[in-house]
């Protein structure tokens, strides 16, 4: 009998009225009810109803086992997905095309940088052999390019810095309050007039020196001719 029971499908209802394997057992129960040895239950003359079958402990156990099996399959599926994600993360460096492409680009840049160093090896060696004298600015290598472009631009400004500072100091010392502007303007006019007179005197002096030089040259030429 155990062999017949083991051959049954787990989804088969062992209390179904159409199951021939339990026909003898049902007949014995019905006979016991009819003879009074067991209490007669209503509606079991033709076997248990579908509602009664759903309330049987064995059917509840079967349903629970089905639910457990379903949950186990879902859990196995989730675990498999997690393992796939973990393996994908661990092997992303050699399986993802975008990551490989990024690494290849970095290697190409590094290779180009090394080639440029090799091409300027003699120049680099000469600079390294020269002792460094003077102050310096600590700066990250990433900003060297910008610094080299900045200093030529600020060189003219630094050259005019003293002149601009003198103007700032003069502006700070000078009082531009009302009543003194006329005096300042008059002083500036006098200064401009003096500068013009000095300029004219310098021009006349230069002309006189040129005349003296020409007369001397002509006198020497006449002496040589005689």
């Amino acid at each position: 009998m155990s062999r017949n029971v083991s051959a049954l499908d787990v989804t088969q209802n062992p209390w179904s009225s159409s199951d021939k394997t339990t026909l003898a057992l049902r007949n014995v129960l019905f006979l016991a009810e009819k003879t009074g040895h067991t209490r007669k239950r209503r509606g079991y003359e033709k076997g248990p109803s579908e509602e009664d079958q759903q309330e049987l402990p064995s059917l509840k156990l079967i349903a629970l086992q089905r639910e457990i099996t379903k949950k186990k399959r879902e859990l196995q599926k989730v675990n498999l997905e997690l393992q796939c994600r973990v393996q994908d993360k661990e092997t992303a460096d050699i399986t993802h095309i975008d990551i490989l492409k990024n690494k290849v680009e970095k290697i190409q840049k590094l290779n180009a940088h090394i080639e440029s160093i090799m091409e300027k090896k003699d120049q680099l060696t000469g600079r390294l052999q020269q002792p460094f004298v003077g102050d310096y600015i600590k700066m990250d290598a990433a900003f060297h390019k910008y610094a080299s472009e900045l200093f030529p631009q600020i060189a003219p400004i630094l050259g005019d810095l003293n002149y601009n500072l003198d103007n700032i100091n003069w502006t700070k010392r000078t009082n531009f309050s009302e009543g003194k502007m006329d005096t300042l303007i008059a002083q500036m006019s006098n200064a401009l007039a003096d500068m013009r007179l000095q300029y004219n005197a310098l021009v006349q002096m230069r002309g006189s020196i040129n005349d003296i030089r020409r007369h001397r040259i002509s006198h020497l030429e006449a002496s040589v001719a005689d």
Side-chain angles (χ1 to χ4, degrees):
M1 181 177 179
S2 60
R3 182 181 300 173
N4 294 332
V5 172
S6 62
L8 294 174
D9 188 0
V10 292
T11 61
Q12 186 178 359
N13 186 356
W15 282 270
S16 176
S17 58
S18 62
D19 190 1
K20 297 181 180 180
T21 58
T22 59
L23 182 59
L25 180 59
R26 284 193 302 104
N27 292 335
V28 172
L29 293 174
F30 292 156
L31 181 60
E33 290 176 357
K34 288 180 179 181
T35 57
H37 290 84
T38 59
R39 186 176 61 181
K40 186 174 182 181
R41 289 173 289 182
R42 185 179 176 182
Y44 272 66
E45 292 81 359
K46 296 182 180 180
S49 63
E50 294 295 331
E51 296 180 357
D52 293 333
Q53 292 179 9
Q54 296 297 331
E55 296 297 330
L56 293 175
S58 59
L59 292 180
K60 291 182 179 180
L61 180 61
I62 292 174
L64 180 60
Q65 290 178 347
R66 290 177 180 173
E67 185 69 19
I68 292 173
T69 303
K70 182 179 178 181
K71 296 296 182 182
K72 285 183 178 180
R73 291 176 180 174
E74 293 178 355
L75 182 61
Q76 290 177 356
K77 185 177 180 180
V78 173
N79 290 333
L80 179 61
E81 183 69 19
L82 289 175
Q83 291 179 1
C84 292
R85 294 294 180 88
V86 172
Q87 292 179 357
D88 181 69
K89 184 178 180 180
E90 292 176 351
T91 59
D93 293 340
I94 58 176
T95 56
H96 289 199
I97 297 177
D98 53 345
I99 297 178
L100 290 174
K101 184 178 179 181
N102 188 17
K103 290 188 175 182
V104 169
E105 291 178 354
K106 290 182 179 179
I107 293 174
Q108 289 177 350
K109 291 181 179 179
L110 179 61
N111 187 27
H113 181 65
I114 294 174
E115 288 180 354
S116 64
I117 292 175
M118 296 300 295
E119 291 176 356
K120 300 178 181 179
K121 180 178 63 175
D122 297 337
Q123 183 179 359
L124 181 60
T125 303
R127 288 188 177 182
L128 292 176
Q129 290 176 350
Q130 295 176 0
F132 181 80
V133 179
D135 298 332
Y136 60 92
I137 300 175
K138 291 183 178 181
M139 184 179 300
D140 190 81
F143 304 104
H144 286 181
K145 177 181 178 182
Y146 305 104
S148 62
E149 295 176 354
L150 173 65
F151 286 112
Q153 294 177 2
I154 65 174
I157 300 174
L158 294 176
D160 298 335
L161 182 60
N162 292 329
Y163 178 75
N164 294 328
L165 290 175
D166 292 338
N167 291 335
I168 293 172
N169 291 328
W170 178 83
T171 305
K172 185 177 179 180
R173 292 192 305 267
T174 305
N175 188 2
F176 293 97
S177 61
E178 187 176 359
K180 293 187 176 182
M181 291 297 296
D182 294 336
T183 304
L184 292 174
I185 292 173
Q187 292 177 357
M188 291 179 63
S189 299
N190 295 330
L192 289 174
D194 291 339
M195 290 178 62
R196 182 177 297 176
L197 292 174
Q198 292 177 4
Y199 175 74
N200 292 330
L202 289 173
V203 171
Q204 291 178 1
M205 185 182 296
R206 184 177 180 181
S208 299
I209 291 172
N210 289 331
D211 292 338
I212 293 172
R213 183 180 298 173
R214 283 197 298 271
H215 287 301
R216 185 176 181 182
I217 292 173
S218 61
H219 178 71
L220 291 174
E221 289 176 352
S223 298
V224 172
D226 294 340

